[in-house]
């Protein structure tokens, strides 16, 4: 199990695990049965970590042990790349039309294979893989055609392949050709639909695939590859409820990178140099970790006398989400580290993530995915400059490499990540995959956390760390408009600016931290008062989108965590903003106050179990109340009218440790005045969460 929340160090890099699981102090020389468990986790879209111990040199010259990597055996792995394709189709509506479209998308997924290497160096193998397109809907559209009713879009849910591999191995390299059977699921969506808002139809295509690739052994049980694949898919034909008939074929060209873990290897298989003296990456300078999280969440029917476009539905519901993430890190040179986090996400939040300002599932972001969607969650470069003096040990974990660092240091990072990876962290409430699920308990109510619909943005920060304090400041891109996947690139005129002072102290010999955090957004936003000032005859009055212009919003957060004993800790966040403008990325809230406690299970003989209890009270500014009372819509709420009361939420969970990798959590949330509306609710939300990390 992860280190206890009270196991403090001066290392602040645990924040890079936001929405990714706690840091574990892992032994890189794991046993073979542990690796078997990780291979089972592949079916849950998870990857294991490499199990090797090493020193801090980037490349190590060691005695030659094995000049040719033994490629024989079973392997599992992941890949990411870019695919470009063409679709040919016809649409039969009132008339028949033909079209040819081009499309492109990032793809990512998993593979499983088996190789047999002959003494001659020739290799024969078989491999199956699944690839999923990027989460941006514009990137995975094969084609869109106008119909008499609206439009008919065709999308790719996934591409699967079963293929043979034939190649030749020399030194630590493998060159191969591949080919076989391919299939893909097509999703046809007609908007507006005849039966529902969207009418949908699924069709499985079949086809074939050919390709070539090169793979190189980089460690005793790991190899990396570069691969080109050409897929050709046959006809898919569907007839929608409206009577519109669509037929299409498509092909794709894909170039992708992959990483494979070869099962059953031991340290005796270790490689240092190939026969040509080429170095292999030394173990301490890279790592791979993975996580998988499943959340099932639902509620019974509750009092709901009326509902608006963004109300929490009053009828009973159950929805589920799942995510899988790989954390790949590489030390480039002294102090420099590169990280990439490919991620798959699938599922829906209750009521399409509407109706509650403090939403109930942090894994349910503001996009819904009926099939897994691929996304590069994080990709960033981090450089640390040591200032000398006392050092501390950094444990191996997701998005951090093991080693020693000066406590006195300056860290600079740039790339794509979540702002809360760095700012507004709290050891007791910062990650919905391992702690509290509620947005405003782990995230902080009125902090308008800039993000796309899945919590990520691009930016940079500087962190100055000392033994008893740290100061960090950053700049991050804002969405072009509220709740958008597109970012405003008017740098540095527009964006989110952040600053945080962290003070570390001891109270009655127990450690604590106080963080004082401030943020400012400067971008394109609507104003509540301006929306109310629109003519009553305006379409969709009061439509805040009609008032969008360059505006500024800002806020403050006070954030404290305090250990009471080695097994018990408490935390609190107080947040405030003026509440004059629409929200850009987070949730509809002008002020909030949360308080909670977390207890580990040492007293009843289960030190890796945790109990958490927390509550949050949230409010709206006078301008926001008037806007929502007039029927306005926000980023998450909008009942059409408002009998204002503060939204109040209580959450309690028990996290039961199944083993060192996996935890099962039972969670209950009570929401009074959902959406700040006393006419609705209360509602009880029940959740089950399974989380595994390797």
């Amino acid at each position: 199990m992860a280190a206890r929340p009270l196991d403090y160090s001066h290392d602040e890099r645990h924040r890079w695990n936001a929405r990714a699981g706690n840091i574990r102090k892992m032994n890189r020389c794991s046993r073979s049965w542990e690796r078997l468990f990780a291979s089972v986790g592949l079916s849950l879209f998870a990857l294991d970590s490499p199990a090797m111990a090493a020193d801090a040199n980037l490349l190590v010259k060691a005695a030659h042990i094995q000049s040719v990597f033994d490629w024989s055996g079973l392997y599992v792995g992941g890949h990411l790349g870019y695919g470009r394709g063409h679709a040919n189709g016809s649409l039969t509506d009132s008339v028949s039309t033909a079209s040819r479209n081009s499309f492109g998308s990032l793809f990512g997924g998993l593979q499983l294979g088996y190789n047999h290497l002959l003494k001659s160096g020739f290799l024969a193998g078989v491999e199956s893989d699944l690839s999923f397109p990027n989460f941006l809907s514009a990137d995975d559209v094969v084609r869109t055609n106008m119909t008499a009713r609206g439009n008919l879009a065709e999308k790719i849910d996934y591409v699967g392949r079963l293929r043979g591999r034939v190649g030749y191995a020399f030194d630590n390299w493998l060159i191969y050709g591949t080919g076989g059977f391919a299939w893909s699921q097509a999703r046809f969506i007609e908007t507006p639909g005849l039966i529902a808002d969207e009418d949908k139809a699924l069709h499985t295509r079949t086809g074939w695939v050919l390709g070539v690739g090169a793979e190189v052994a980089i460690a005793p049980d790991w190899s990396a590859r570069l691969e080109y694949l050409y897929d050709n898919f046959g006809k898919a034909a569907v007839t929608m409820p409206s009577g519109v008939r669509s037929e299409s074929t498509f092909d794709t060209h894909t170039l992708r990178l992959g990483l494979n873990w070869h099962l059953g290897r031991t340290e005796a298989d270790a490689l240092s140099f190939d026969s040509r003296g080429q170095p292999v990456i030394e173990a301490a300078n890279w790592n791979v970790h993975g996580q998988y999280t499943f959340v099932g969440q639902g509620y019974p029917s509750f009092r709901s006398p009326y509902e608006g476009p963004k109300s929490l539905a009053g009828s009973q519901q159950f929805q589920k989400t799942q995510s899988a993430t790989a954390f790949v890190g590489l030390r480039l040179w002294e102090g420099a580290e590169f990280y990439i986090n490919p991620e798959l996400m699938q599922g829906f939040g209750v009521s399409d993530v509407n109706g509650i300002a403090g939403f109930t599932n942090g894994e349910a972001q503001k996009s819904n995915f009926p099939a897994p969607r691929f996304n590069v969650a994080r990709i960033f470069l981090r450089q640390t400059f040591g200032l000398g003096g006392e050092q501390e040990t950094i444990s191996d974990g997701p998005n951090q490499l093991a080693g020693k660092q000066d406590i006195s240091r300056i860290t600079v990072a740039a790339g794509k990540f979540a702002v809360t990876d760095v700012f507004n962290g709290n050891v007791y409430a910062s990650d919905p995959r391992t702690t509290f699920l509620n947005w405003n308990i782990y995230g902080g109510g009125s902090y308008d956390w800039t993000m796309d619909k899945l919590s990520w943005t691009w930016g940079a920060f500087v962190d100055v760390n000392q033994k008893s304090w740290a100061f960090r400041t950053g700049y991050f891109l804002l969405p072009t408009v509220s709740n958008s996947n597109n970012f405003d690139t008017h740098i540095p005129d527009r964006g989110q600016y952040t600053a945080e002072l962290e003070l570390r102290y001891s109270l009655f010999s127990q450690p604590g931290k106080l963080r004082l955090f401030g943020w400012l957004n400067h971008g394109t936003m609507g104003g509540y008062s301006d929306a109310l000032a629109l003519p009553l005859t305006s379409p969709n009055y009061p439509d805040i989108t009609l008032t969008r212009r360059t505006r500024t919003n800002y806020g403050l957060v006070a954030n404290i965590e305090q250990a009471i004993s080695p097994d018990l800790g408490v935390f609190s966040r107080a947040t405030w903003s003026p509440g004059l403008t629409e929200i850009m990325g987070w949730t509809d809230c002008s002020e909030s106050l949360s308080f909670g406690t977390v207890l580990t299970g040492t007293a009843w003989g289960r030190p890796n179990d945790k109990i958490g209890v927390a509550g949050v009270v949230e409010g709206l500014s006078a301008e926001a109340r008037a806007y929502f009372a007039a029927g306005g819509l926000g980023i998450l709420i909008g009942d059409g009218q408002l009998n204002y009361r503060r939204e109040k939420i209580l959450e309690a969970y028990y996290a039961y440790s199944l083993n060192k990798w996996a935890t099962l959590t039972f969670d209950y949330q009570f929401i009074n005045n959902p959406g700040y509306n006393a006419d609705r609710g209360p509602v009880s939300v029940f959740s089950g969460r399974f989380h595994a990390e390797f």
Side-chain angles (χ1 to χ4, degrees), residues 273-316:
F273 281 78
D274 64 19
S275 61
R276 298 182 182 180
Q278 298 299 315
V280 176
I281 300 175
E282 203 279 321
N285 296 303
W286 73 290
N287 66 4
V288 179
H289 289 270
Q291 76 83 31
Y292 170 81
T293 303
F294 174 91
V295 177
Q297 186 170 87
Y299 58 81
S301 300
F302 65 92
R303 182 171 61 101
S304 179
Y306 55 86
E307 294 182 1
K310 290 198 171 184
S311 292
L312 185 70
S315 57
Q316 66 180 16

Side-chain angles (χ1 to χ4, degrees), residues 193-277:
L194 182 65
I195 299 175
D197 292 339
E198 293 183 339
D199 287 343
K200 303 174 184 178
L202 301 179
H203 191 285
T204 301
R205 305 174 184 271
T206 58
W208 50 270
V209 57
L210 290 174
V212 295
E215 194 162 350
V216 59
I218 59 174
D221 48 2
W222 289 88
S223 61
R225 68 163 59 160
L226 176 65
E227 188 173 51
Y228 163 79
L229 296 175
Y230 172 74
D231 298 283
N232 188 288
F233 292 97
K235 181 184 294 185
V238 299
T239 300
M240 305 302 293
S242 64
V244 174
R245 179 176 175 80
S246 177
E247 297 183 2
S248 65
T249 63
F250 78 90
D251 59 4
T252 61
H253 300 266
T254 303
L255 186 66
R256 66 190 199 182
L257 296 169
L259 193 64
N260 289 324
W261 176 52
H262 298 260
L263 282 68
R265 301 303 172 90
T266 67
E267 291 301 320
D269 300 315
L271 302 176
S272 301
F273 281 78
D274 64 19
S275 61
R276 298 182 182 180

